Amino acid sequence: MAVGRPYVNVGFWSTVAIESGQEDGDVNRAIEDEVGRLGGHKSLYSDAYYDEPTFDRLYGGADYRPVKKRYDPRGRLPTLYEKAVRRR
């Protein structure tokens, strides 16, 4: 986040029916795509479907990896990506 730049956090809590021909997660993927198109990114309180490079770019992967390596050198704990996207 940048100092002096305004941010908006919008949330909604509900479910939508899965339309014929769609799969669970399609609506969340569409939200991720649209929020990204608008220059933002989705909070991680709900399911996330980002690919790993996109997730790293949005959520500080380059800064996270050295910290993870230092404090969890044997990889005993899951990464943020594994927890948020792969549900581990």
Side-chain angles (χ1 to χ4, degrees):
M1 298 181 81
V3 174
R5 182 175 177 187
Y7 294 89
V8 176
N9 181 16
V10 176
F12 49 93
W13 291 265
S14 189
T15 60
V16 295
I18 298 173
E19 300 291 331
S20 178
Q22 291 189 322
E23 297 180 9
D24 187 28
D26 285 350
V27 172
N28 260 323
R29 287 182 186 91
I31 292 168
E32 289 173 356
D33 290 344
E34 182 64 12
V35 170
R37 187 186 71 74
L38 295 170
H41 63 275
K42 194 176 83 175
S43 296
L44 298 177
Y45 61 83
S46 65
D47 295 340
Y49 296 89
Y50 294 111
D51 60 50
E52 197 161 4
T54 301
F55 185 90
D56 280 354
R57 181 177 51 78
L58 293 172
Y59 299 98
D63 296 321
Y64 172 78
R65 276 189 293 283
V67 174
K68 173 85 164 107
K69 185 175 182 177
R70 178 175 180 179
Y71 292 102
D72 186 24
R74 290 183 245 155
R76 295 182 65 200
L77 301 172
T79 66
L80 181 57
Y81 181 79
E82 290 169 332
K83 289 170 65 175
V85 179
R86 294 187 178 154
R87 301 179 190 162
R88 291 189 183 165

